[in-house]
Amino acid sequence: MRWKAEQAIRQAAADLGDLPQYALDKIRIGAGLHRKVFDKTILDMDRVGTIRLFGKNVSEIRGQDLSDMVQQGAMIYLSFAFLDTQQYDPVSGKALT
């Protein structure tokens, strides 16, 4: 399940283009994953070093809609950047050389 979820996240990012950082709310919409699956996959991708999450402490954020962001403890993650530079074919899911 995680592999399919990661591929959906990568495809949503590819649909937005080559950006230095991707907003989690936009990727969530594009990936079309259930909230729990999306959040768990994003946090797992950060844990294994596929992406780097950027966020703030909950107390530092005021007046923003945080419903589509990823929360872990007191941190709200707003965006991420891919750390792996390997490109993937969205159809086959295999790495391109």
Side-chain angles (χ1 to χ4, degrees):
M1 180 70 168
R2 183 195 175 280
W3 185 85
K4 285 185 179 181
E6 183 174 338
Q7 294 311 308
I9 290 168
R10 286 183 179 278
Q11 181 59 52
D15 291 345
L16 291 176
D18 189 22
L19 303 173
Q21 287 187 23
Y22 297 92
L24 284 168
D25 55 346
K26 292 181 181 171
I27 297 296
R28 182 187 300 277
I29 293 167
L33 298 169
H34 186 274
R35 177 177 207 62
K36 187 175 182 179
V37 172
F38 180 85
D39 291 2
K40 184 174 173 34
T41 303
I42 286 291
L43 292 171
D44 194 43
M45 289 172 73
D46 179 62
R47 182 184 59 81
V48 298
T50 305
I51 63 171
R52 178 172 179 225
L53 288 168
F54 301 97
K56 295 183 178 181
N57 191 296
V58 174
S59 63
E60 297 174 11
I61 301 174
R62 304 245 188 268
Q64 284 184 304
D65 181 17
L66 304 176
S67 61
D68 286 331
M69 303 305 173
V70 175
Q71 182 172 359
Q72 183 179 37
M75 288 295 295
I76 295 282
Y77 295 106
L78 307 170
S79 63
F80 72 92
F82 285 105
L83 296 178
D84 59 356
T85 57
Q86 199 170 31
Q87 297 294 320
Y88 290 86
D89 177 14
V91 176
S92 68
K94 296 183 180 181
L96 300 173
T97 56

